[in-house]
């Protein structure tokens, strides 16, 4: 009998991110919302958040055992206060 190796294919990124959602999609501190929530994350994630100028305004790299991450915008120092508006997030999930 000749041994053979088998490889179990990893999930495609699209399958890992298929159910991820982020809210609110338009941040506005006046609404009373303290930050932005990321839900249905799996495993270890790297989240980069950019403003519309392409500048990184927030980084997170860590595990999300509950599948959630909350970016507490209101808890940031005064000099790094985030303006109301639209932000782009890049989410990378590693196994």
């Amino acid at each position: 009998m000749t041994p053979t190796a088998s490889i179990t294919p990893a999930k495609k990124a699209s399958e890992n991110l298929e159910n991820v959602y982020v809210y609110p999609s338009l941040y506005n501190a006046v609404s009373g919302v303290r930050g932005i929530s990321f839900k249905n994350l799996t495993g270890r994630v790297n989240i980069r958040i950019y403003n519309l100028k392409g500048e990184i305004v927030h980084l997170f790299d860590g595990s999300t055992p509950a599948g959630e991450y909350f970016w507490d915008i209101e808890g940031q120092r005064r000099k790094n206060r985030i303006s109301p508006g639209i932000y782009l997030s890049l989410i990378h999930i590693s196994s």
Side-chain angles (χ1 to χ4, degrees), residues 12-53:
K12 296 178 187 175
S14 62
E15 292 172 2
N16 287 336
L17 296 172
E18 192 170 89
N19 295 317
V20 171
Y21 61 96
V22 180
Y23 66 91
S25 59
L26 177 62
Y27 172 71
N28 185 351
V30 177
S31 69
V33 176
R34 290 189 50 88
I36 298 176
S37 296
F38 295 78
K39 301 286 185 173
N40 294 333
L41 301 168
T42 58
R44 183 168 183 80
V45 300
N46 178 280
I47 300 172
R48 295 179 186 178
I49 302 174
Y50 299 87
N51 62 20
L52 292 180
K53 293 180 182 178

Side-chain angles (χ1 to χ4, degrees), residues 82-95:
I82 301 299
S83 301
I86 298 172
Y87 293 87
L88 307 172
S89 58
L90 176 65
I91 303 169
H92 177 264
I93 296 177
S94 55
S95 49

